[in-house]
Amino acid sequence: MKPLSFVTPALKRGVQIGVLSLTALLAACGSSGPFKFDDSYSAQGQNSRVRYLVMHYTAGDHATSLKVLTQRDVSAHYLVSDERRPTVYRLVPEERRAWHAGIGSWYGFTDLNTGSIGIEIVNMGRLADGRWAPYSAAQIEALKVLLKDLAQRHGVSPRNIIGHSDVAPQRKLDPGPHFPWKDLAQAGIGRWYKEPQARALQAQYATRPLPSASQVQALLRKAGYETPDSGTFDKATQNVLAAFQMHYRPARYNGVLDAETAAILQSLD
């Protein structure tokens, strides 16, 4: 796939300033300068700093989302608008840190702002009446193109395409239960579970006990979630279970272990 080009005027200005600064530095280091500059070699031992793609909803409208993400101490690399033909804004260059993830963990990695690209989607999130705002089909199609490009260029594995609630289940709910993780997985984006295996395991739980709290906590950690090691279904573990359910079984995300949740947890790719 040819890389996408989402370039804003501000980004162009930043690139131009960077090129001018480097040009001025090289000019100052001519034959009489303190050193020579040589970029003709490229190290074999390198890769992208990006290991994760983290999805968010903005909990605001288009104008508010742009204002918050550009004028306050919170940001994201990309913002997907809710227009009929969505605009994908690049707000932070990919090589720089955006302030989007905060405190969180995924497979034990905690510096998520440094190791991720944050993607905000204009969506009101949870509404006052308890319902959740839907995502538009156009937004999801735009997101598929963007995510495929980012995952390919940065070598991001499917299990590391995640939601804010996955990395911070004690304090975050975005991108919410209407985010179409299964649809994305069917398009080759992100991780999903083996559905036939899950159905078979769920049927078996009709005649045998569900996994213990300790077993569930171990399975959640194996899936990437930061989970207590209490051996009980305490509130923190229920929050992690709810985040897992919201991602893989959004029809019911009450944080209570049941046969379907246990079966899905044991059937992840």
Side-chain angles (χ1 to χ4, degrees):
M1 175 189 288
K2 184 178 180 180
L4 300 177
S5 178
F6 301 119
V7 182
T8 66
L11 179 60
K12 287 182 179 178
R13 288 194 298 272
V15 171
Q16 289 166 353
I17 291 169
V19 171
L20 290 173
S21 299
L22 180 59
T23 301
L25 173 66
L26 298 182
C29 296
S31 58
S32 60
F35 64 87
K36 295 191 300 181
F37 187 87
D38 188 334
D39 65 352
S40 60
Y41 295 88
S42 182
Q44 177 177 314
Q46 60 175 292
N47 60 9
S48 172
R49 67 160 189 89
V50 177
R51 297 167 60 182
Y52 312 99
L53 304 179
V54 183
M55 308 299 115
H56 307 259
Y57 57 55
T58 62
D61 61 23
H62 185 170
T64 302
S65 300
L66 264 177
K67 183 175 181 179
V68 168
L69 291 170
T70 58
Q71 299 180 25
R72 297 186 189 174
D73 288 341
V74 61
S75 59
H77 294 89
Y78 292 97
L79 171 67
V80 180
S81 79
D82 60 351
E83 299 160 294
R84 185 173 181 179
R85 181 171 181 250
T87 300
V88 176
Y89 296 92
R90 179 185 284 167
L91 304 178
V92 177
E94 291 175 19
E95 67 272 13
R96 294 181 63 84
R97 294 170 81 246
W99 301 347
H100 66 97
I103 298 171
S105 176
W106 191 245
Y107 283 102
F109 184 82
T110 57
D111 191 4
L112 288 160
N113 280 343
T114 296
S116 69
I117 285 176
I119 301 167
E120 292 270 3
I121 307 155
V122 175
N123 178 280
M124 294 303 294
R126 195 167 193 170
L127 305 174
D129 62 4
R131 294 181 300 117
W132 294 82
Y135 295 91
S136 74
Q139 282 180 310
I140 300 308
E141 289 308 306
L143 191 62
K144 286 177 182 177
V145 176
L146 176 61
L147 288 174
K148 283 184 177 180
D149 175 68
L150 292 173
Q152 178 182 326
R153 287 193 289 108
H154 293 285
V156 177
S157 67
R159 71 179 189 175
N160 290 338
I161 300 175
I162 45 184
H164 203 184
S165 57
D166 293 317
V167 303
Q170 305 304 330
R171 61 187 184 88
K172 292 296 180 180
L173 296 172
D174 53 318
H178 285 334
F179 191 78
W181 290 110
K182 181 176 180 179
D183 184 26
L184 293 182
Q186 290 174 335
I189 303 165
R191 176 175 65 181
W192 200 244
Y193 62 94
K194 303 179 185 71
E195 294 187 353
Q197 178 179 323
R199 286 192 292 270
L201 285 171
Q202 183 177 351
Q204 293 176 22
Y205 282 124
T207 58
R208 64 185 177 98
L210 293 172
S212 68
S214 293
Q215 291 172 320
V216 170
Q217 289 169 338
L219 286 167
L220 286 167
R221 284 192 291 272
K222 183 179 178 182
Y225 293 84
E226 183 176 39
T227 311
D229 193 17
S230 63
T232 65
F233 287 109
D234 51 29
K235 178 60 176 173
T237 300
Q238 291 174 29
N239 289 342
V240 181
L241 264 176
F244 177 83
Q245 291 167 331
M246 194 175 286
H247 191 129
Y248 295 102
R249 205 274 307 274
R252 189 166 70 257
Y253 48 91
N254 56 7
V256 176
L257 182 70
D258 55 26
E260 184 179 20
T261 302
I264 293 171
L265 189 54
Q266 293 174 290
S267 303
L268 284 180
D269 280 334

